[in-house]
Amino acid sequence: MITIHGSSVSPFVRKTLVCLKEKGISYELNGISPFPPPAAHLAISPLGKIPAMTDGDLSIPDSAAICGYLEKRFPAQPLYPSDDGEYGRALWYHIWADNELPKATAALFFNRVAVKMMKREPDQAVIDKIIAKVQPPIFDYLEAEIGDKTYLAGDAFSIADIAITCQFVQMLYAGETLPAASHPNIARYITNHMQRASFKTLINSDPFIKVP
Ligand SMILES: N[C@@H](CCC(=O)N[C@@H](CS)C(=O)NCC(=O)O)C(=O)O
């Protein structure tokens, strides 16, 4: 049995759970927080972060590594494009979604919600700066990349769409709305993917927003 160790509220944990649901693989979620992680978690996640995955004796930390493993182990219902070029593009969007996009999206969840879990007060100046200065160039890039597409890499739903949608869900969990007026392609694209059964089930199980 595959076990994902982490909280469903994390965008990186969500990415692995969406992959499992899309592939129809049953799993267990070992609900742990990384703030701080239980001591035993360090044995499977040396950086102390979530998610980590165990599959029998095998342990793999990091959502990107986990998703790559799941694709290889369960190749039916592929989530990575078969075309070489589209595969490379999907990897790029995945890396961008994990490293750059969170500065404009998940950072709002961290600074508004997670800080309170850590018994600290949100810093409004930091939040204002994310919205006014950090978001625009990041959203502008994505808006142009999406254009009128449904899927970012190739002609099917892929890890690129999963990784990007996960980060916007986190922004919505922070009380924001999608930028429909300034970035309509992003709003249409994210709204569409949040309607997938995988995303909808996970989002509606968390205590923040509901997808009708
Ligand atoms: N690159 C990692 C990032 C994971 C990550 O940053 N997870 C956050 C929770 S959303 C975490 O565990 N933070 C705890 C920490 O940084 O100490 C992945 O994709 O799994």
Side-chain angles (χ1 to χ4, degrees):
M1 171 67 83
I2 294 210
T3 303
I4 299 293
H5 304 262
S7 164
S8 66
V9 169
S10 155
F12 301 101
V13 171
R14 182 173 313 115
K15 188 192 333 153
T16 64
L17 302 184
V18 169
C19 285
L20 285 159
K21 286 192 179 294
E22 289 285 337
K23 288 176 173 292
I25 309 303
S26 56
Y27 63 87
E28 286 172 347
L29 180 65
N30 173 27
I32 57 160
S33 163
F35 300 122
H41 187 61
L42 294 174
I44 58 169
S45 183
L47 304 183
K49 298 192 181 206
I50 58 171
M53 182 213 73
T54 47
D55 184 6
D57 291 339
L58 175 70
S59 66
I60 301 178
D62 194 284
S63 64
I66 295 167
C67 293
Y69 168 75
L70 294 175
E71 182 73 2
K72 192 96 172 144
R73 173 133 151 72
F74 305 105
Q77 283 87 39
L79 293 172
Y80 289 70
S82 56
D83 175 83
D84 293 353
E86 298 300 355
Y87 177 83
R89 292 298 298 171
L91 294 186
W92 155 245
Y93 288 124
H94 187 178
I95 289 168
W96 182 83
D98 281 9
N99 295 290
E100 188 69 4
L101 184 56
K103 297 173 190 168
T105 53
L108 288 169
F109 182 87
F110 183 84
N111 283 288
R112 274 210 188 115
V113 184
V115 285
K116 289 186 188 158
M117 295 173 185
M118 292 182 267
K119 310 269 185 273
R120 286 174 13 213
E121 279 308 305
D123 183 336
Q124 191 57 42
V126 171
I127 293 168
D128 291 345
K129 186 176 170 202
I130 293 169
I131 293 170
K133 300 257 184 260
V134 179
Q135 275 188 350
I138 292 176
F139 284 8
D140 289 351
Y141 169 72
L142 183 59
E143 179 76 1
E145 291 297 300
I146 293 173
D148 61 2
K149 293 181 198 153
T150 302
Y151 307 112
L152 263 174
D155 55 5
F157 185 66
S158 80
I159 190 69
D161 307 309
I162 295 172
I164 286 171
T165 304
C166 282
Q167 296 297 334
F168 276 93
V169 168
Q170 208 67 13
M171 187 184 83
L172 299 180
Y173 281 11
E176 292 295 309
T177 54
L178 292 171
S182 60
H183 299 84
N185 297 338
I186 293 179
R188 170 188 54 76
Y189 169 88
I190 298 296
T191 302
N192 179 37
H193 293 315
M194 280 173 57
Q195 283 295 328
R196 292 183 77 89
S198 54
F199 269 109
K200 203 166 164 171
T201 307
L202 290 166
I203 293 168
N204 287 346
S205 303
D206 284 334
F208 296 101
I209 59 170
K210 296 294 166 222
V211 181

